[in-house]
Amino acid sequence: MDTGSIATPCYVCDEARLIRNLELLATLQKRTGCAVLLALKAFAMFSTFPLMRRYLAGTAASSLFEARLGSEEFGAQVHLCAPAYKESEFDQLLALSNHVVFNSFSQWRRFKARVEAIGRGTRCGIRVNPEHSEVDTPIYDPCASNSRLGVRRKDFEPGSLEGISGLHFHTLCGNDSDALARTLESFERKFGEFLPAMTWVNFGGGHHIARDGYDFEGLCAIIERFRERHAVEIFLEPGEGIVMDAGILVASVLDVLPNGTVILDASASAHTPDVLEMPYRPDVSGAGSPGELEYTYWLGGPTCMAGDVFGQYSFDQPLEIGSRIVFEDMAPYTMVKNTMFNGVALPGIAIREAETGGIREIRRFDYQDYRGRLS
Ligand SMILES: Cc1ncc(COP(=O)(O)O)c(C=O)c1O
């Protein structure tokens, strides 16, 4: 991709790759009869929603703002699931959402009467915790001990299910379908007895469906077999699995220090927070591991945070002021999660159009965006 002409830093969504991912998800829905929702927490670049709407059943929202964005910009179904809802927002949430999932029976009891009174046909569900961990990073493991996410079997209240039509679990993070199979074993062992009274089950996100090598056939078989065992609609709400490898972050070198560190105009901490939170070392186009190619550098950001560093990489040419650095796989959990720490400008948002191959800038952020978040 020729990124030479765009102002940096900039996230560039790759429309052709996005379409490839979406076609895979359309196949999954057609083959298995499940419905796939876009988890907005991972990706909410709404200028792509008219395209995504052609392939997906709707959005999965985790807050009032996401529910509104899903309803107004995506349309179709909005499925809401959050650890708790606020009294002051609940009526708006109900007006925007087709499905509302409660994280505890106390929340369900608190809002049940409001659901019944407003009566828009909203389908309500309970998020359960199958207590089966498949994720190694504890902060991303919803089944870690002391997790606040989902009702455990010992706290499940069979007597409070009137008005509940579905169960939801979310336990995975970047997993293959074998992890879903093991999760379902635990889910059915603990909660299977309640499924005859349900009309839908949401398998959450964390399915790395569009990753090369993902066991897609395995996923289809798992869903098909589950539907043979239980007469329920199945929803999946991946985020990363829909937009993986469908975007890059383009940065420019601002300085090269004597100790071999390069300062970029993109920040690990402000613009790709998962790099530090997970943590992981993102791939850089054309770069090798340290020492692999002739010139090795640490790539760091422009903020004052000492740890604002992407990692160490090698290149076959020396980097100099103005050199371009392209971070790969930067569509998920970047634009939705970035900050303006240090007053550093947010990266622009652009799209590389599938038809022409040309890059079109959609949004640039300026001082007013920074000032507008403060008072
Ligand atoms: C409830 C729920 N659904 C869906 C997702 C999307 O997960 P992913 O982007 O890993 O597919 C998450 C991510 O945290 C989540 O918490």
Side-chain angles (χ1 to χ4, degrees):
M1 189 185 302
D2 178 15
T3 57
S5 58
I6 45 174
T8 63
C10 190
Y11 304 110
V12 184
C13 175
D14 181 351
E15 193 181 29
R17 174 65 197 230
L18 184 60
I19 291 171
R20 201 186 109 186
N21 292 355
L22 290 167
E23 280 172 351
L24 190 63
L25 294 157
T27 305
L28 176 71
Q29 295 175 102
K30 207 163 159 209
R31 285 255 314 260
T32 67
C34 78
V36 178
L37 310 160
L38 167 68
L40 293 175
K41 71 193 78 188
F43 185 77
M45 182 177 162
F46 54 86
S47 53
T48 64
F49 287 179
L51 167 70
M52 297 184 97
R53 192 165 52 221
R54 300 213 295 265
Y55 299 88
L56 303 177
T59 53
S62 36
S63 64
L64 179 58
F65 292 167
E66 283 189 357
R68 183 168 168 189
L69 194 80
S71 172
E72 291 181 1
E73 304 290 340
F74 199 106
Q77 302 180 39
V78 176
H79 291 229
L80 182 68
C81 176
Y85 303 115
K86 287 173 87 160
E87 284 280 346
S88 57
E89 293 181 350
F90 195 74
D91 288 357
Q92 285 179 79
L93 288 169
L94 264 188
L96 294 165
S97 311
N98 311 87
H99 286 66
V100 178
V101 175
F102 295 89
N103 188 53
S104 69
F105 279 94
S106 73
Q107 279 264 304
W108 166 232
R109 279 194 298 276
R110 190 173 180 83
F111 292 112
K112 185 177 182 207
R114 302 264 279 279
V115 174
E116 285 166 356
I118 293 176
R120 291 176 60 250
T122 311
R123 295 164 99 191
C124 292
I126 295 287
R127 177 172 179 170
V128 298
N129 184 328
E131 295 177 79
H132 173 81
S133 285
E134 289 283 350
V135 180
D136 294 334
T137 310
I139 62 165
Y140 290 117
D141 180 9
C143 295
S145 56
N146 280 325
S147 169
R148 70 197 198 293
L149 303 168
V151 180
R152 287 172 181 72
R153 179 62 185 88
K154 71 176 174 40
D155 301 318
F156 199 80
E157 299 179 19
S160 304
L161 289 176
E162 196 211 320
I164 294 292
S165 59
L167 297 181
H168 175 293
F169 65 81
H170 167 78
T171 59
L172 305 181
C173 180
N175 291 100
D176 211 315
S177 60
D178 56 335
L180 174 64
R182 290 188 291 272
T183 300
L184 280 174
E185 264 173 48
S186 180
F187 169 71
E188 287 180 86
R189 194 169 357 97
K190 288 173 190 279
F191 301 100
E193 64 182 291
F194 307 111
L195 291 178
M198 301 294 152
T199 58
W200 57 274
V201 175
N202 188 322
F203 289 2
H207 319 277
H208 246 195
I209 304 172
R211 175 166 46 77
D212 291 340
Y214 178 90
D215 184 5
F216 183 78
E217 290 302 318
L219 177 65
C220 291
I222 289 165
I223 298 173
E224 282 159 3
R225 285 202 298 267
F226 189 89
R227 294 191 70 207
E228 281 160 20
R229 291 195 297 278
H230 308 284
V232 290
E233 273 178 79
I234 309 281
F235 296 99
L236 267 66
E237 48 180 38
E240 190 169 348
I242 297 179
V243 295
M244 63 190 317
D245 289 324
I248 55 174
L249 171 62
V250 188
S252 297
V253 173
L254 300 180
D255 198 8
V256 183
L257 304 181
N259 69 353
T261 297
V262 159
I263 310 288
L264 301 174
D265 59 1
S267 159
S269 103
H271 302 153
T272 64
D274 276 3
V275 166
L276 302 186
E277 203 174 271
M278 193 82 178
Y280 78 102
R281 178 180 170 279
D283 285 342
V284 168
S285 301
S289 47
E292 187 183 340
L293 302 174
E294 200 171 339
Y295 303 94
T296 294
Y297 301 91
W298 285 98
L299 300 184
T303 74
C304 67
M305 211 256 278
D308 186 1
V309 174
F310 291 92
Q312 200 179 23
Y313 301 84
S314 65
F315 298 84
D316 55 11
Q317 298 289 330
L319 295 181
E320 51 194 43
I321 293 168
S323 298
R324 294 283 165 126
I325 299 292
V326 174
F327 293 100
E328 305 279 359
D329 195 15
M330 284 292 161
Y333 296 103
T334 52
M335 340 176 182
V336 288
K337 219 175 163 179
N338 55 20
T339 72
M340 297 183 98
F341 178 52
N342 272 214
V344 173
L346 295 174
I349 297 176
I351 189 151
R352 178 176 188 256
E353 287 171 326
E355 217 171 295
T356 63
I359 296 179
R360 180 166 55 85
E361 184 178 281
I362 297 169
R363 181 80 205 265
R364 190 134 284 282
F365 298 91
D366 59 21
Y367 171 68
Q368 294 307 333
D369 295 298
Y370 171 67
R371 187 177 184 279
R373 304 169 73 244
L374 303 165
S375 69

